[in-house]
Amino acid sequence: MHVLILGGTTEARRLAELLEPEPVRVTSSLAGRVAGPRLPVGEVRVGGFGGTDGLVRWLRAQRVDALIDATHPFAETISFHAAEAAATAHVPLLALRRPGWVPAEGDTWHTVGSLDEAAAALPGLGSRIFLTTGRMGLAAFAGLRDLWFLVRSVDPPQGACPPRMEALLERGPFTLEGERALLARHRIDVLVTKDSGGAATAPKLTAAREAGVPVVVVRRPPVPDGVPVATTADEAAARVRAMAAPAP
């Protein structure tokens, strides 16, 4: 049995680890957008497939028996390509998605549907913004000339950026103590984040709650219709084992 795992997420790497001892071939595919990514165990390919048609050709040429979409919750394009390719190639598809964050008592969240909506919500909320939505999509904030931004990302920002901006190149996981110190040091009064979920970057939400800092949260896109979802790598591994088990 050949399993293709899409994604460089923590859950994708954990799934590859769980399947390594199993009698299956596992290939992990990374988009290649991050320099020096953390590599999973086993076979790894880096780079795109060339859209839906390219992924269909790869699935057929490599005789893939199961496709796991363990990409970032906001990697909407590849998720829809995966759904279309799996249907065309008649390959079972499972989405692995960590649960989203849930506001706690004391949080002040402003939930929006896109980065453009997040930018529109900022005037009036504050003037010193901690932007943690990644290095791409910063053009949505480029017109906000009266606000100052601290932009945290793994790699340097690309494309149009806010004119008043400081880039902070860091990779999680982050600690609560570190996030508290960062908010205080930069006098942050608004946090902007995507609802990525997971524990690695969640401490910023706790630090914002403690400091009374409002949070603009971008909703994650939905999983394509009809695609089953596992919320943990253990659950996904159990489903793969069930598929690989010989018929009674």
Side-chain angles (χ1 to χ4, degrees):
M1 183 179 182
H2 186 190
V3 178
L4 175 62
I5 302 175
L6 303 177
T9 59
T10 300
E11 291 77 18
R13 292 192 298 274
R14 176 58 180 158
L15 178 58
E17 291 176 1
L18 291 171
L19 294 179
E20 185 182 24
E22 303 295 331
V24 298
R25 174 189 172 193
V26 177
T27 301
S28 297
S29 178
L30 311 183
R33 292 182 176 178
V34 176
R38 293 170 177 162
L39 297 179
V41 299
E43 297 181 38
V44 179
R45 69 174 301 280
V46 179
F49 291 93
T52 300
D53 293 341
L55 180 52
V56 169
R57 289 192 294 270
W58 203 93
L59 294 174
R60 289 172 171 167
Q62 298 297 321
R63 298 185 179 182
V64 173
D65 299 292
L67 177 60
I68 312 297
D69 173 15
T71 55
H72 190 276
F74 283 82
E76 187 173 10
T77 299
I78 185 59
S79 291
F80 278 92
H81 286 174
E84 293 172 350
T88 301
H90 304 290
V91 172
L93 171 64
L94 175 68
L96 173 53
R97 291 288 186 275
R98 70 187 76 140
W101 290 316
V102 178
E105 184 178 355
D107 281 327
T108 303
W109 282 16
H110 302 265
T111 304
V112 297
S114 67
L115 291 177
D116 288 332
E117 290 184 19
L122 288 178
L125 287 180
S127 61
R128 298 182 65 83
I129 317 300
F130 184 24
L131 189 57
T132 65
T133 56
R135 66 189 176 102
M136 305 177 71
L138 296 180
F141 305 90
L144 299 174
R145 301 183 177 276
D146 296 331
L147 307 182
W148 180 87
F149 289 85
L150 176 66
V151 176
R152 184 165 68 189
S153 60
V154 176
D155 293 321
Q158 291 183 338
C161 296
R164 302 175 60 208
M165 182 192 85
E166 178 180 333
L168 179 62
L169 304 184
E170 290 185 334
R171 187 197 300 265
F174 301 104
T175 66
L176 178 55
E177 293 76 10
E179 300 294 63
R180 286 169 175 158
L182 185 147
L183 294 185
R185 181 169 64 252
H186 294 280
R187 295 179 286 116
I188 298 299
D189 53 18
V190 183
L191 167 65
V192 181
T193 184
K194 293 177 177 178
D195 180 17
S196 301
T201 60
K204 62 188 174 186
L205 300 174
T206 302
R209 182 189 317 128
E210 292 177 350
V213 170
V215 183
V216 178
V217 181
V218 182
R219 285 190 298 270
R220 60 173 62 179
V223 173
D225 290 341
V227 177
V229 178
T231 58
T232 67
D234 291 276
E235 180 185 354
R239 296 198 190 190
V240 171
R241 294 187 191 103
M243 285 188 264

